[in-house]
Amino acid sequence: MAKRDYYEVLGVDRSASADEIKKAYRKAALKYHPDKNPGDKDAEEKFKEAAEAYDVLSNPDKKARYDQFGHAGMSGAAGGGSYGGGGFSMEDIFSQFGDIFGGHFGGGFGSFGGFGGFGGSAGGGRRVNRGSDLRVKVKLTLNEIVNGTTKKIKINKYVPCDQCSGSGARTAGGVGKCSTCHGSGVVTEVVDSFFGRAQTQRVCPTCQGTGEVVTDPCPKCKGEGVVRGEEVVEIRIPVGVGEGMQLSVSGKGNAARRGGVSGDLLVVIEEERDPQLIRDGNDLLHNHKVSFTTALLGGTIEVPTVEGRAKVKVGAGTKAGSVLRLRGKGIPDVNGRGRGDILVVVDIDVPTRLSAEEKRLVEQLAAQPSFKEVDNSRSEQNIFERMRNFFR
């Protein structure tokens, strides 16, 4: 099933402000929240769908990629997960966006699926660690860009410790409640100010907001829950991507400390230069030399395409700088809006060394009326003007 447009999911226009997007997500999430719709799988999927849409549209970088490339620029097209696709759990959603909902549903989300501890107050609660993102560059040939491809890349990164399964503790009982925040993940401070006494909350400095501390550290990871390791990641590259475009593979970045949410793998596209075809948006340009006689009398030439070679007719009297178009032989649009063309720019190969016989024949031609000296006073466009006007 095709993904719905993120703006449609949240019911906002593309020109919506960040505040309007946030309000729309809050409205949708409250409507489809699992506590309000127990056992309703459809509501649960819409809850995840709204979270996915908000995750993209609330992030300026992701929003810019989505506005330019659509879903192809997001995780789904790059081979990663998404909320609806199972790449993120309900716990991830609550931990990342729980502050948006305030005190609804009993002050938090503790009643759903056993994820207690994310609420407790209208302003915050226990947090889940998140691993850092990783960025890699992938070089693609023109053929791979036109047809799409799958790349397998070995990534050096932090992975969950295999000895403690990422918990950071030697044994199951090696994790205890933080004594500083008493398991809430936050500490409350009362500050006297000019306006009176004010109460503020901040993330607990001892447990970094998780509400737990490791009392019996794992000897391999020293209580961190992560170690250096490798993973082979499969990345699906959609057709039509371009230089500098960034795809996101959710959950394939560095693993988080003590069982948190892994970061993302950001894939930056690089294009390998093709020796014969030059990319110009979704079009491909090819400079082709034709013989003087072919330009004069017309004929057929063979030009390169991504799929192989194609025959193109050259009309009699073709001038240098003329452009021959092969429709639909260029690069597919990344959003599925058709395909570009191949533009063959004609260059005429004028021989510089002639035999005595060849020179005699050319001199005979030069004496004919059709080969008289060119009148440069005519207003006919020169090659530079024709090329400039063609690409306007």
Side-chain angles (χ1 to χ4, degrees):
M1 182 178 177
K3 280 180 175 286
R4 289 204 295 157
D5 180 76
Y6 288 145
Y7 291 97
E8 179 187 342
V9 170
L10 297 184
V12 295
D13 296 330
R14 288 186 171 270
S15 59
S17 66
D19 189 54
E20 288 172 331
I21 291 172
K22 184 174 182 178
K23 287 179 179 178
Y25 169 54
R26 187 175 187 274
K27 180 180 178 182
L30 291 175
K31 179 179 179 181
Y32 297 115
H33 190 277
D35 279 358
K36 196 173 182 181
N37 303 274
D40 188 338
K41 289 294 182 181
D42 183 58
E44 182 178 325
E45 289 306 310
K46 288 182 178 178
F47 181 74
K48 293 178 180 179
E49 185 183 43
E52 179 179 347
Y54 180 70
D55 176 60
V56 172
L57 300 184
S58 63
N59 182 298
D61 292 335
K62 291 182 180 180
K63 184 177 183 296
R65 293 203 305 273
Y66 180 73
D67 287 344
Q68 183 175 3
F69 302 110
H71 290 297
M74 298 296 103
S75 58
S82 63
Y83 294 112
F88 282 75
S89 68
M90 298 295 279
E91 181 178 358
D92 301 334
I93 299 172
F94 295 151
S95 65
Q96 291 190 41
F97 308 131
D99 62 318
I100 291 176
F101 302 94
H104 287 266
F105 303 104
F109 297 99
S111 62
F112 179 78
F115 299 130
F118 290 96
S121 70
R126 291 172 59 183
R127 61 185 287 189
V128 173
N129 290 323
R130 186 182 187 279
S132 59
D133 294 338
L134 290 175
R135 182 177 276 102
V136 296
K137 293 181 178 180
V138 174
K139 274 197 172 183
L140 301 176
T141 64
L142 190 57
N143 185 276
E144 290 172 327
I145 291 170
V146 168
N147 297 298
T149 187
T150 298
K151 294 283 189 179
K152 290 185 177 180
I153 302 178
K154 183 182 288 186
I155 307 295
N156 293 311
K157 62 176 187 175
Y158 282 108
V159 298
C161 175
D162 57 356
Q163 190 163 322
C164 66
S165 300
S167 69
R170 185 196 302 267
T171 62
V175 177
K177 184 183 293 187
C178 174
S179 59
T180 302
C181 65
H182 306 292
S184 68
V186 296
V187 291
T188 302
E189 297 177 338
V190 178
V191 180
D192 291 322
S193 69
F194 178 78
F195 299 101
R197 306 189 75 186
Q199 182 173 291
T200 62
Q201 284 187 336
R202 62 184 179 91
V203 174
C204 176
T206 303
C207 65
Q208 285 77 53
T210 63
E212 298 177 332
V213 291
V214 176
T215 56
D216 185 14
C218 166
K220 183 174 182 178
C221 66
K222 305 298 189 292
E224 293 298 305
V226 293
V227 293
R228 296 297 300 182
E230 294 180 341
E231 182 182 1
V232 176
V233 179
E234 187 174 280
I235 304 169
R236 292 195 299 275
I237 309 293
V239 298
V241 295
E243 178 78 25
M245 179 177 171
Q246 184 171 278
L247 307 177
S248 177
V249 186
S250 298
K252 292 300 181 180
N254 281 317
R257 298 171 59 248
R258 299 203 293 274
V261 179
S262 295
D264 296 340
L265 179 64
L266 306 178
V267 183
V268 180
I269 301 298
E270 290 187 343
E271 295 183 21
E272 289 186 8
R273 288 184 62 85
D274 189 274
Q276 294 182 297
L277 296 169
I278 301 170
R279 183 171 184 176
D280 180 27
N282 288 337
D283 293 332
L284 295 172
L285 307 180
H286 171 66
N287 294 314
H288 194 94
K289 282 191 175 184
V290 301
S291 67
F292 177 78
T293 54
T294 298
L296 182 65
L297 303 174
T300 301
I301 59 175
E302 279 194 355
V303 298
T305 70
V306 179
E307 291 80 13
R309 298 189 71 80
K311 292 184 176 181
V312 181
K313 287 186 177 180
V314 178
T318 295
K319 296 179 174 62
S322 297
V323 178
L324 311 176
R325 185 186 296 269
L326 280 74
R327 295 192 180 278
K329 292 293 185 180
I331 296 174
D333 185 79
V334 72
N335 289 316
R337 299 169 186 161
R339 185 169 175 172
D341 305 328
I342 291 181
L343 307 176
V344 181
V345 182
V346 175
D347 187 13
I348 298 176
D349 186 23
V350 179
T352 56
R353 294 184 180 181
L354 299 176
S355 67
E357 177 64 15
E358 290 170 337
K359 186 176 181 180
R360 184 183 66 80
L361 292 172
V362 171
E363 287 173 343
Q364 289 180 356
L365 285 174
Q368 301 303 313
S370 298
F371 291 86
K372 293 297 182 182
E373 189 72 22
V374 176
D375 182 5
N376 285 294
S377 65
R378 290 181 302 177
S379 60
E380 185 176 347
Q381 291 178 324
N382 63 35
I383 181 174
F384 301 107
E385 290 172 330
R386 291 201 305 272
M387 289 296 293
R388 181 181 61 193
N389 292 333
F390 182 86
F391 289 108
R392 277 179 177 173

